[in-house]
Amino acid sequence: MAAQFGRRLRKGAATTAVAAVAVAALSASQAPGVNDHGRQTAADATPSPEASASRGSATGNSPYYTDLPPLKSPNPSPTTGPGPIGAGTTEAGIPATVLDAYKKAESALREAKPGCNLPWQLLAAIGRVESGQARGGRVKADGTTLKPILGPQLDGNGFALIKDTDDGAYDGNSSYDQAVGPMQFIPSTWAWAGRDGNADGKKDPNNVYDAALAAGHYLCRNNWDLSQQGDLDRAILSYNNSRDYLNLVMRWLEYYRKGTHEVPDGTGTLPGNRSDGGAGASPTPTLPGVTTPGTTTPGSSGPKPSPKPDRPEKPGGGGTTTPKPPTTPPADTPSPPPTAPPTPTDTVDHLEDAGTGKLAAMAGDAFDRRISTRAETEAGKAVAKVRVRFTIVGDTDTTFTGGESVATVATNSSGVAVAPALEAGEKTGAVTVRATVVGRALPGLDYKATVTERAADALVRTGDAALTCAPGGEFANRVEVKATYKGAVADGVAATATLIKSADDPTVTDKGPYFKDADGKTVRTLTGLKTDAKGLLKLPELYADDTTGTFLLRITTAGGATLTVELTVAAAETSAPSPSAGPSA
């Protein structure tokens, strides 16, 4: 339908010069552009120009590991027999639980979004670059990491500036956001992209099954086909908007495609370098001011710090930043626990509609109104900076813009959160959108929307040729009409064609012109017709019985558009014989 109805990198921290030189060296050593079969590899393909213009990212453009895959192919996979294992086979090993999560995510996406063509090796490549495969597979049996994996706080100091969006629910930081988990989602992205990959009823960014499935859906949005290089580039750049990142992920993707194998959890290799110039992974990363055995904070007495103390790290941009619990104070001098001031979310008592109005759209169209919800205290005062989650529930194919069924929006200074625009699917009927407060067990606020069938308000013939036929013959011209709605093309509109008795009697006639069904039998009513993408409807051939006269064909559509067409059945005119000549004089 017409457009009026809506139908149908920047990197936060640059990679180091060393990493850039290493990429160049590897490119040269691997003869970029040609593999063993003489074709260009995906890793060396030139990304589409428009791909680099992508904005935003799943990770907030946080730092990432820059280690390159080995030059040596991982094939063949190592055997269980004795013998040395080279760097290639070591790097090709993926911890068993992590590998299982990637493959299960690929299987789920193959069913949910078959046109995406997501390979699990892409998830493995991103997981390697973002967190070193969940820090070498340090996960529990259910896939949850032994310790939270956190990136550095995105406070604008060498990184992007992203102030807190989750009240610290995911990253424990109520001032700034941090990338979280094996696939390094920032909280604002996880809020709508998060998935429950291990069917435990939770969406946990620190669970590799949940994170892998979420990453798969994130990479498969926008109808991207990852078997096409241009869409693959766009998807990777949307994860972390950096050309260096794109090239690095593509190299790991090619490496894993050549062969890989599983290794026991906790035994995977740990990366050594990251894009912000920081140190790579270490088994027990620390934060500044958090002491570990053998170290002290500046100005304190005790053992001298190690010559090479651990630096704050971010897997998927460094290492974890999980602090060591503080030392318990002496029993004779207990310290009362500090009382944290209530957050805006804590003060919310209920949600109110903020003037949304009637929500209705035809199938395939965008709704012309957006849902608006206001968070209020018990006294009715608006509350700003509260995350409201909008969820489309029930059996429907209606979605928010972008194809998602969940969206999370923070309330503005007036306490109002406005949901993304709704896009009606093809299923007609009632649709429910539920608004809830993230982080609070408060009653939700339901909004009712209605999807009606596609409609037309006008029908016209596309030609003006006379529709005539001799008795017992076939009409030379077929009837074709065009449907519109408010002047715009009306595509996919249901229609019915009926041969009627008269203009005042719309019942089906029993004589005159007729259609034929698949068995060649006479039918005078056609149902189940639909206009095409251009709003056109071309009827099948018409035939005539032996009855002569003028007949009427009436075409009607959903929405009330009607067109009546005249059909004429008449015997062919014969010329009168010329009079014979009289006798000559």
Side-chain angles (χ1 to χ4, degrees):
M1 204 165 268
Q4 70 188 94
F5 298 103
R7 186 172 285 172
R8 9 266 170 279
L9 265 139
R10 138 178 178 335
K11 178 73 184 54
T15 56
T16 62
V18 173
V21 171
V23 171
L26 179 61
S27 301
S29 65
Q30 291 181 330
V34 180
N35 65 5
D36 293 340
H37 302 286
R39 64 175 176 82
Q40 186 179 32
T41 66
D44 295 312
T46 301
S48 307
E50 63 268 31
S52 62
S54 168
R55 293 183 179 180
S57 74
T59 68
N61 294 328
S62 295
Y64 53 89
Y65 288 135
T66 58
D67 294 42
L68 295 166
L71 295 176
K72 185 178 180 181
S73 169
N75 274 335
S77 295
T79 64
T80 56
I85 297 178
T89 56
T90 301
E91 292 292 346
I94 298 178
T97 300
V98 179
L99 180 59
D100 184 57
Y102 296 150
K103 291 184 175 181
K104 278 184 167 58
E106 179 197 57
S107 179
L109 267 297
R110 189 184 302 119
E111 181 177 347
K113 297 182 179 180
C116 177
N117 296 304
L118 171 78
W120 67 261
Q121 292 91 343
L122 176 59
L123 297 176
I126 291 176
R128 180 60 171 75
V129 170
E130 289 294 344
S131 71
Q133 310 299 18
R135 297 189 56 72
R138 286 164 172 76
V139 296
K140 301 176 185 177
D142 67 352
T144 303
T145 57
L146 298 180
K147 295 181 179 180
I149 298 178
L150 298 175
Q153 66 177 16
L154 300 174
D155 56 6
N157 184 20
F159 310 111
L161 174 60
I162 303 179
K163 293 186 177 180
D164 175 60
T165 62
D166 66 332
D167 293 330
Y170 295 122
D171 54 15
N173 189 336
S174 59
S175 297
Y176 299 95
D177 273 351
Q178 295 174 247
V180 183
M183 304 303 279
Q184 288 290 274
F185 281 96
I186 54 174
S188 57
T189 303
W190 182 261
W192 62 264
R195 294 293 191 280
D196 179 11
N198 61 350
D200 65 353
K202 298 182 295 184
K203 299 176 183 178
D204 182 1
N206 278 302
N207 181 282
V208 70
Y209 288 100
D210 295 358
L213 184 58
H217 277 279
Y218 185 90
L219 295 164
C220 285
R221 70 198 195 286
N222 298 327
N223 293 319
W224 281 329
D225 178 359
L226 303 185
S227 66
Q228 302 297 317
Q229 188 64 46
D231 282 356
L232 180 59
D233 291 348
R234 295 181 188 92
I236 296 172
L237 283 171
S238 77
Y239 211 89
N240 194 315
N241 197 0
S242 159
R243 183 56 60 91
D244 290 333
Y245 182 87
L246 168 63
N247 292 337
L248 182 60
V249 169
M250 289 303 303
R251 292 201 175 280
W252 278 107
L253 171 59
E254 283 301 312
Y255 181 75
Y256 286 135
R257 277 175 168 166
K258 293 175 182 177
T260 188
H261 59 281
E262 71 174 44
V263 297
D265 289 344
T267 65
T269 59
L270 298 177
N273 301 284
R274 67 181 194 185
S275 60
D276 63 345
S282 64
T284 55
T286 60
L287 281 172
V290 179
T291 61
T292 58
T295 63
T296 61
T297 55
S300 66
S301 61
K304 295 182 179 180
S306 169
K308 294 183 179 180
D310 290 330
R311 298 178 64 179
E313 300 174 311
K314 165 200 172 290
T320 68
T321 57
T322 305
K324 181 180 177 181
T327 303
T328 305
D332 57 345
T333 57
S335 299
T339 302
T343 66
T345 300
D346 295 331
T347 67
V348 177
D349 177 74
H350 60 274
L351 294 175
E352 288 285 346
D353 176 46
T356 299
K358 183 179 180 180
L359 295 167
M362 285 194 297
D365 285 353
F367 285 74
D368 57 1
R369 292 178 179 271
R370 294 168 66 178
I371 296 173
S372 297
T373 300
R374 184 172 55 252
E376 295 183 355
T377 64
E378 186 176 6
K381 183 179 179 181
V383 186
K385 297 182 179 180
V386 172
R387 292 188 306 133
V388 176
R389 178 175 294 133
F390 298 95
T391 305
I392 301 173
V393 298
D395 182 19
T396 179
D397 55 356
T398 292
T399 65
F400 292 114
T401 301
E404 297 292 338
S405 60
V406 179
T408 302
V409 182
T411 57
N412 59 20
S413 58
S414 300
V416 175
V418 181
L422 284 167
E423 299 280 351
E426 294 303 319
K427 291 183 179 180
T428 60
V431 176
T432 299
V433 181
R434 182 165 298 150
T436 55
V437 178
V438 177
R440 292 291 305 279
L442 298 174
L445 179 61
D446 285 354
Y447 291 84
K448 300 297 182 182
T450 303
V451 179
T452 59
E453 62 181 332
R454 298 175 187 243
D457 58 11
L459 282 173
V460 295
R461 279 190 67 194
T462 59
D464 55 5
L467 299 169
T468 61
C469 180
E474 178 180 346
F475 284 80
N477 299 307
R478 292 170 63 179
V479 177
E480 184 181 70
V481 297
K482 182 175 183 178
T484 57
Y485 184 80
K486 295 183 179 180
V489 168
D491 61 317
V493 177
T496 300
T498 306
L499 290 152
I500 60 176
K501 290 183 177 180
S502 69
D504 298 325
D505 185 358
T507 57
V508 182
T509 184
D510 57 359
K511 58 185 177 180
Y514 62 91
F515 300 104
K516 291 182 180 180
D517 64 12
D519 298 324
K521 296 181 180 179
T522 298
V523 293
R524 290 189 168 91
T525 298
L526 296 178
T527 59
L529 305 173
K530 277 193 175 183
T531 59
D532 65 15
K534 296 180 180 179
L536 300 176
L537 174 63
K538 193 169 188 177
L539 299 182
E541 291 85 354
L542 274 164
Y543 304 89
D545 60 15
D546 294 333
T547 308
T548 59
T550 299
F551 302 88
L552 298 179
L553 170 65
R554 180 162 292 172
I555 305 169
T556 59
T557 70
T562 302
L563 177 66
T564 302
V565 180
E566 285 192 357
L567 306 173
T568 302
V569 179
E573 294 184 4
T574 58
S575 301
S578 58
S580 58
S584 58

Short mmCIF file of all heavy atoms in Angstrom, two decimals, residues 298-355:
data_model
loop_
_atom_site.label_atom_id
_atom_site.label_comp_id
_atom_site.label_asym_id
_atom_site.label_seq_id
_atom_site.Cartn_x
_atom_site.Cartn_y
_atom_site.Cartn_z
N PRO A 298 48.14 1.73 47.14
CA PRO A 298 49.17 2.74 47.35
C PRO A 298 49.07 3.37 48.72
O PRO A 298 47.99 3.67 49.21
CB PRO A 298 48.87 3.75 46.23
CG PRO A 298 48.14 2.96 45.19
CD PRO A 298 47.35 1.95 45.94
N GLY A 299 50.23 3.58 49.36
CA GLY A 299 50.28 4.25 50.66
C GLY A 299 50.09 3.33 51.83
O GLY A 299 50.17 3.75 52.98
N SER A 300 49.81 2.08 51.57
CA SER A 300 49.60 1.16 52.69
C SER A 300 50.87 0.38 52.96
O SER A 300 51.74 0.28 52.12
CB SER A 300 48.45 0.20 52.36
OG SER A 300 48.82 -0.63 51.28
N SER A 301 50.96 -0.17 54.15
CA SER A 301 52.12 -0.98 54.48
C SER A 301 51.87 -2.41 54.09
O SER A 301 50.74 -2.84 53.92
CB SER A 301 52.39 -0.89 55.99
OG SER A 301 51.27 -1.39 56.70
N GLY A 302 52.95 -3.16 53.95
CA GLY A 302 52.78 -4.55 53.57
C GLY A 302 53.67 -4.87 52.40
O GLY A 302 54.53 -4.08 52.01
N PRO A 303 53.47 -6.07 51.80
CA PRO A 303 54.31 -6.47 50.67
C PRO A 303 54.21 -5.49 49.52
O PRO A 303 53.19 -4.85 49.31
CB PRO A 303 53.71 -7.85 50.28
CG PRO A 303 52.94 -8.30 51.48
CD PRO A 303 52.48 -7.07 52.16
N LYS A 304 55.30 -5.36 48.79
CA LYS A 304 55.31 -4.47 47.63
C LYS A 304 54.47 -5.07 46.51
O LYS A 304 54.39 -6.27 46.36
CB LYS A 304 56.75 -4.25 47.15
CG LYS A 304 57.61 -3.51 48.16
CD LYS A 304 58.99 -3.28 47.59
CE LYS A 304 59.87 -2.52 48.59
NZ LYS A 304 61.23 -2.28 48.05
N PRO A 305 53.87 -4.19 45.69
CA PRO A 305 53.07 -4.71 44.58
C PRO A 305 53.95 -5.43 43.57
O PRO A 305 55.14 -5.17 43.45
CB PRO A 305 52.44 -3.45 43.97
CG PRO A 305 53.34 -2.34 44.39
CD PRO A 305 53.88 -2.74 45.75
N SER A 306 53.32 -6.33 42.85
CA SER A 306 54.01 -7.07 41.80
C SER A 306 54.51 -6.10 40.74
O SER A 306 53.87 -5.10 40.46
CB SER A 306 53.04 -8.08 41.18
OG SER A 306 53.58 -8.62 40.01
N PRO A 307 55.70 -6.39 40.12
CA PRO A 307 56.20 -5.49 39.06
C PRO A 307 55.20 -5.36 37.92
O PRO A 307 55.20 -4.37 37.21
CB PRO A 307 57.49 -6.19 38.61
CG PRO A 307 57.88 -7.06 39.75
CD PRO A 307 56.62 -7.48 40.41
N LYS A 308 54.39 -6.38 37.68
CA LYS A 308 53.41 -6.33 36.59
C LYS A 308 52.04 -6.66 37.15
O LYS A 308 51.53 -7.78 36.99
CB LYS A 308 53.78 -7.31 35.48
CG LYS A 308 55.07 -6.97 34.76
CD LYS A 308 55.33 -7.93 33.63
CE LYS A 308 56.61 -7.58 32.88
NZ LYS A 308 56.87 -8.53 31.76
N PRO A 309 51.42 -5.70 37.85
CA PRO A 309 50.10 -5.99 38.43
C PRO A 309 49.06 -6.19 37.35
O PRO A 309 49.20 -5.66 36.25
CB PRO A 309 49.81 -4.74 39.27
CG PRO A 309 50.59 -3.65 38.58
CD PRO A 309 51.84 -4.32 38.08
N ASP A 310 48.01 -6.96 37.66
CA ASP A 310 46.91 -7.12 36.72
C ASP A 310 46.28 -5.77 36.45
O ASP A 310 46.10 -4.96 37.35
CB ASP A 310 45.84 -8.07 37.30
CG ASP A 310 46.36 -9.48 37.36
OD1 ASP A 310 47.18 -9.83 36.51
OD2 ASP A 310 45.91 -10.22 38.27
N ARG A 311 45.92 -5.56 35.19
CA ARG A 311 45.25 -4.32 34.81
C ARG A 311 43.76 -4.61 34.67
O ARG A 311 43.36 -5.73 34.39
CB ARG A 311 45.82 -3.80 33.49
CG ARG A 311 47.30 -3.47 33.59
CD ARG A 311 47.83 -3.01 32.26
NE ARG A 311 47.19 -1.75 31.86
CZ ARG A 311 47.50 -1.13 30.73
NH1 ARG A 311 48.40 -1.62 29.92
NH2 ARG A 311 46.89 -0.01 30.41
N PRO A 312 42.93 -3.58 34.83
CA PRO A 312 41.49 -3.82 34.66
C PRO A 312 41.23 -4.33 33.25
O PRO A 312 41.76 -3.79 32.29
CB PRO A 312 40.86 -2.44 34.88
CG PRO A 312 41.98 -1.48 34.70
CD PRO A 312 43.22 -2.20 35.12
N GLU A 313 40.45 -5.36 33.17
CA GLU A 313 40.25 -5.98 31.87
C GLU A 313 38.78 -6.16 31.57
O GLU A 313 37.94 -6.15 32.42
CB GLU A 313 40.92 -7.36 31.83
CG GLU A 313 42.42 -7.28 32.06
CD GLU A 313 43.00 -8.65 32.15
OE1 GLU A 313 42.44 -9.47 32.89
OE2 GLU A 313 43.98 -8.90 31.46
N LYS A 314 38.50 -6.39 30.29
CA LYS A 314 37.14 -6.61 29.82
C LYS A 314 37.11 -7.69 28.78
O LYS A 314 37.53 -7.49 27.67
CB LYS A 314 36.60 -5.33 29.20
CG LYS A 314 35.34 -5.56 28.38
CD LYS A 314 35.12 -4.44 27.43
CE LYS A 314 33.98 -4.76 26.47
NZ LYS A 314 34.28 -5.77 25.52
N PRO A 315 36.65 -8.87 29.13
CA PRO A 315 36.48 -9.87 28.08
C PRO A 315 35.47 -9.34 27.09
O PRO A 315 34.39 -8.93 27.45
CB PRO A 315 35.96 -11.08 28.84
CG PRO A 315 36.44 -10.88 30.23
CD PRO A 315 36.42 -9.40 30.43
N GLY A 316 35.85 -9.42 25.83
CA GLY A 316 35.06 -8.78 24.82
C GLY A 316 35.49 -7.33 24.80
O GLY A 316 34.82 -6.46 24.31
N GLY A 317 36.62 -7.07 25.30
CA GLY A 317 37.19 -5.75 25.36
C GLY A 317 38.18 -5.74 26.48
O GLY A 317 38.62 -4.74 26.99
N GLY A 318 38.63 -6.84 27.00
CA GLY A 318 39.55 -6.85 28.12
C GLY A 318 39.29 -8.07 28.96
O GLY A 318 39.16 -9.15 28.47
N GLY A 319 39.12 -7.94 30.25
CA GLY A 319 38.85 -9.06 31.14
C GLY A 319 37.76 -8.69 32.10
O GLY A 319 37.10 -7.68 31.94
N THR A 320 37.55 -9.47 33.08
CA THR A 320 36.48 -9.17 34.03
C THR A 320 36.91 -8.06 34.96
O THR A 320 38.08 -7.76 35.13
CB THR A 320 36.13 -10.40 34.87
OG1 THR A 320 37.24 -10.70 35.71
CG2 THR A 320 35.81 -11.58 34.00
N THR A 321 35.93 -7.42 35.58
CA THR A 321 36.20 -6.41 36.59
C THR A 321 35.44 -6.77 37.85
O THR A 321 34.79 -5.95 38.46
CB THR A 321 35.79 -5.01 36.10
OG1 THR A 321 34.40 -5.05 35.76
CG2 THR A 321 36.60 -4.59 34.90
N THR A 322 35.47 -8.06 38.19
CA THR A 322 34.75 -8.52 39.37
C THR A 322 35.59 -8.25 40.61
O THR A 322 36.69 -8.80 40.75
CB THR A 322 34.48 -10.02 39.27
OG1 THR A 322 33.79 -10.26 38.04
CG2 THR A 322 33.64 -10.50 40.44
N PRO A 323 35.15 -7.37 41.51
CA PRO A 323 35.96 -7.05 42.69
C PRO A 323 35.95 -8.18 43.70
O PRO A 323 35.01 -8.94 43.80
CB PRO A 323 35.28 -5.80 43.26
CG PRO A 323 33.85 -5.94 42.83
CD PRO A 323 33.90 -6.62 41.50
N LYS A 324 37.06 -8.25 44.46
CA LYS A 324 37.13 -9.21 45.56
C LYS A 324 36.29 -8.67 46.72
O LYS A 324 36.29 -7.47 46.99
CB LYS A 324 38.58 -9.37 45.99
CG LYS A 324 38.77 -10.39 47.14
CD LYS A 324 40.23 -10.48 47.50
CE LYS A 324 40.45 -11.43 48.68
NZ LYS A 324 41.86 -11.52 49.06
N PRO A 325 35.51 -9.52 47.36
CA PRO A 325 34.69 -9.03 48.47
C PRO A 325 35.55 -8.33 49.52
O PRO A 325 36.68 -8.75 49.80
CB PRO A 325 34.05 -10.31 49.03
CG PRO A 325 34.10 -11.28 47.89
CD PRO A 325 35.34 -10.94 47.12
N PRO A 326 35.05 -7.24 50.11
CA PRO A 326 35.84 -6.51 51.11
C PRO A 326 36.08 -7.37 52.35
O PRO A 326 35.31 -8.28 52.66
CB PRO A 326 34.96 -5.31 51.44
CG PRO A 326 33.58 -5.74 51.09
CD PRO A 326 33.73 -6.64 49.91
N THR A 327 37.18 -7.07 53.03
CA THR A 327 37.52 -7.79 54.24
C THR A 327 36.49 -7.52 55.33
O THR A 327 36.04 -6.39 55.52
CB THR A 327 38.91 -7.34 54.73
OG1 THR A 327 39.85 -7.56 53.68
CG2 THR A 327 39.33 -8.14 55.96
N THR A 328 36.10 -8.55 56.05
CA THR A 328 35.10 -8.41 57.12
C THR A 328 35.70 -7.61 58.28
O THR A 328 36.80 -7.91 58.75
CB THR A 328 34.66 -9.78 57.62
OG1 THR A 328 34.19 -10.54 56.52
CG2 THR A 328 33.57 -9.66 58.68
N PRO A 329 35.01 -6.56 58.75
CA PRO A 329 35.56 -5.76 59.85
C PRO A 329 35.60 -6.56 61.15
O PRO A 329 34.88 -7.55 61.29
CB PRO A 329 34.57 -4.59 59.97
CG PRO A 329 33.30 -5.11 59.37
CD PRO A 329 33.72 -6.06 58.30
N PRO A 330 36.44 -6.17 62.08
CA PRO A 330 36.52 -6.89 63.36
C PRO A 330 35.16 -6.95 64.05
O PRO A 330 34.35 -6.02 63.93
CB PRO A 330 37.52 -6.07 64.19
CG PRO A 330 38.32 -5.33 63.15
CD PRO A 330 37.40 -5.07 62.01
N ALA A 331 34.94 -8.03 64.80
CA ALA A 331 33.63 -8.25 65.42
C ALA A 331 33.31 -7.18 66.45
O ALA A 331 32.14 -6.87 66.69
CB ALA A 331 33.60 -9.63 66.08
N ASP A 332 34.36 -6.57 67.11
CA ASP A 332 34.09 -5.61 68.16
C ASP A 332 33.84 -4.21 67.62
O ASP A 332 33.52 -3.30 68.37
CB ASP A 332 35.24 -5.58 69.18
CG ASP A 332 36.56 -5.26 68.50
OD1 ASP A 332 36.62 -5.34 67.26
OD2 ASP A 332 37.52 -4.93 69.23
N THR A 333 34.01 -4.02 66.29
CA THR A 333 33.73 -2.70 65.70
C THR A 333 32.86 -2.88 64.45
O THR A 333 33.30 -2.62 63.34
CB THR A 333 35.03 -1.99 65.33
OG1 THR A 333 35.78 -2.83 64.43
CG2 THR A 333 35.86 -1.68 66.55
N PRO A 334 31.65 -3.37 64.62
CA PRO A 334 30.80 -3.59 63.45
C PRO A 334 30.45 -2.27 62.77
O PRO A 334 30.25 -1.26 63.42
CB PRO A 334 29.56 -4.27 64.05
CG PRO A 334 29.51 -3.79 65.46
CD PRO A 334 30.95 -3.66 65.88
N SER A 335 30.40 -2.33 61.45
CA SER A 335 30.02 -1.16 60.67
C SER A 335 28.61 -1.35 60.16
O SER A 335 28.32 -2.36 59.50
CB SER A 335 30.96 -0.96 59.48
OG SER A 335 32.28 -0.76 59.93
N PRO A 336 27.71 -0.44 60.45
CA PRO A 336 26.34 -0.60 59.96
C PRO A 336 26.32 -0.51 58.44
O PRO A 336 27.05 0.28 57.85
CB PRO A 336 25.59 0.59 60.60
CG PRO A 336 26.66 1.60 60.86
CD PRO A 336 27.89 0.81 61.20
N PRO A 337 25.53 -1.34 57.79
CA PRO A 337 25.46 -1.30 56.32
C PRO A 337 24.90 0.04 55.86
O PRO A 337 23.96 0.58 56.47
CB PRO A 337 24.52 -2.45 55.97
CG PRO A 337 23.70 -2.67 57.20
CD PRO A 337 24.61 -2.33 58.35
N PRO A 338 25.48 0.62 54.81
CA PRO A 338 24.97 1.89 54.31
C PRO A 338 23.58 1.73 53.72
O PRO A 338 23.25 0.69 53.16
CB PRO A 338 25.99 2.28 53.23
CG PRO A 338 26.57 0.98 52.78
CD PRO A 338 26.61 0.11 54.00
N THR A 339 22.78 2.74 53.89
CA THR A 339 21.44 2.73 53.32
C THR A 339 21.46 3.46 51.98
O THR A 339 21.71 4.67 51.93
CB THR A 339 20.44 3.43 54.26
OG1 THR A 339 20.47 2.75 55.53
CG2 THR A 339 19.04 3.39 53.69
N ALA A 340 21.20 2.71 50.91
CA ALA A 340 21.22 3.30 49.58
C ALA A 340 19.96 4.12 49.35
O ALA A 340 18.86 3.70 49.75
CB ALA A 340 21.33 2.21 48.53
N PRO A 341 20.09 5.29 48.76
CA PRO A 341 18.90 6.10 48.47
C PRO A 341 18.05 5.39 47.43
O PRO A 341 18.55 4.64 46.60
CB PRO A 341 19.48 7.41 47.91
CG PRO A 341 20.82 7.01 47.37
CD PRO A 341 21.32 5.93 48.28
N PRO A 342 16.74 5.56 47.47
CA PRO A 342 15.88 4.88 46.50
C PRO A 342 16.17 5.36 45.08
O PRO A 342 16.42 6.54 44.84
CB PRO A 342 14.46 5.27 46.95
CG PRO A 342 14.64 6.55 47.71
CD PRO A 342 15.98 6.43 48.38
N THR A 343 16.13 4.44 44.15
CA THR A 343 16.30 4.79 42.74
C THR A 343 14.95 5.26 42.19
O THR A 343 13.90 5.02 42.81
CB THR A 343 16.79 3.58 41.94
OG1 THR A 343 15.75 2.59 41.94
CG2 THR A 343 18.06 3.00 42.53
N PRO A 344 14.94 5.90 41.03
CA PRO A 344 13.65 6.28 40.43
C PRO A 344 12.71 5.09 40.28
O PRO A 344 11.50 5.21 40.52
CB PRO A 344 14.06 6.86 39.08
CG PRO A 344 15.43 7.40 39.30
CD PRO A 344 16.08 6.43 40.24
N THR A 345 13.28 3.94 39.91
CA THR A 345 12.44 2.75 39.75
C THR A 345 11.76 2.37 41.05
O THR A 345 10.60 1.93 41.07
CB THR A 345 13.29 1.59 39.23
OG1 THR A 345 13.86 1.95 37.97
CG2 THR A 345 12.47 0.33 39.05
N ASP A 346 12.47 2.54 42.19
CA ASP A 346 11.91 2.19 43.49
C ASP A 346 10.68 3.02 43.84
O ASP A 346 9.83 2.59 44.62
CB ASP A 346 12.95 2.36 44.59
CG ASP A 346 14.13 1.40 44.44
OD1 ASP A 346 13.91 0.31 43.89
OD2 ASP A 346 15.24 1.75 44.87
N THR A 347 10.58 4.22 43.28
CA THR A 347 9.49 5.13 43.64
C THR A 347 8.24 4.93 42.79
O THR A 347 7.20 5.52 43.08
CB THR A 347 9.95 6.59 43.51
OG1 THR A 347 10.19 6.89 42.12
CG2 THR A 347 11.21 6.85 44.30
N VAL A 348 8.33 4.11 41.75
CA VAL A 348 7.16 3.94 40.87
C VAL A 348 6.10 3.10 41.57
O VAL A 348 6.39 2.04 42.13
CB VAL A 348 7.58 3.26 39.54
CG1 VAL A 348 6.34 3.02 38.67
CG2 VAL A 348 8.57 4.11 38.79
N ASP A 349 4.86 3.56 41.52
CA ASP A 349 3.74 2.82 42.11
C ASP A 349 2.87 2.16 41.05
O ASP A 349 2.32 1.09 41.27
CB ASP A 349 2.88 3.77 42.95
CG ASP A 349 1.66 3.09 43.54
OD1 ASP A 349 1.83 2.31 44.50
OD2 ASP A 349 0.54 3.31 43.01
N HIS A 350 2.75 2.80 39.89
CA HIS A 350 1.89 2.25 38.84
C HIS A 350 2.21 2.93 37.51
O HIS A 350 2.95 3.93 37.45
CB HIS A 350 0.42 2.48 39.19
CG HIS A 350 0.06 3.93 39.34
ND1 HIS A 350 0.22 4.60 40.54
CD2 HIS A 350 -0.42 4.84 38.46
CE1 HIS A 350 -0.16 5.86 40.39
NE2 HIS A 350 -0.54 6.03 39.12
N LEU A 351 1.65 2.39 36.45
CA LEU A 351 1.76 2.96 35.10
C LEU A 351 0.40 3.48 34.68
O LEU A 351 -0.63 2.88 34.98
CB LEU A 351 2.25 1.91 34.11
CG LEU A 351 3.66 1.37 34.28
CD1 LEU A 351 3.93 0.26 33.28
CD2 LEU A 351 4.70 2.48 34.13
N GLU A 352 0.41 4.57 33.95
CA GLU A 352 -0.82 5.16 33.42
C GLU A 352 -0.67 5.38 31.92
O GLU A 352 0.43 5.66 31.43
CB GLU A 352 -1.12 6.51 34.10
CG GLU A 352 -1.58 6.42 35.53
CD GLU A 352 -3.03 5.96 35.65
OE1 GLU A 352 -3.74 5.96 34.63
OE2 GLU A 352 -3.43 5.59 36.77
N ASP A 353 -1.80 5.28 31.20
CA ASP A 353 -1.78 5.62 29.78
C ASP A 353 -1.53 7.11 29.63
O ASP A 353 -2.08 7.92 30.38
CB ASP A 353 -3.10 5.22 29.12
CG ASP A 353 -3.15 5.64 27.66
OD1 ASP A 353 -2.16 5.41 26.95
OD2 ASP A 353 -4.17 6.22 27.24
N ALA A 354 -0.70 7.47 28.67
CA ALA A 354 -0.36 8.89 28.47
C ALA A 354 -0.95 9.41 27.17
O ALA A 354 -0.29 10.08 26.38
CB ALA A 354 1.16 9.07 28.47
N GLY A 355 -2.23 9.08 26.92
CA GLY A 355 -2.93 9.62 25.76
C GLY A 355 -2.66 8.87 24.47
O GLY A 355 -2.55 9.49 23.40
#
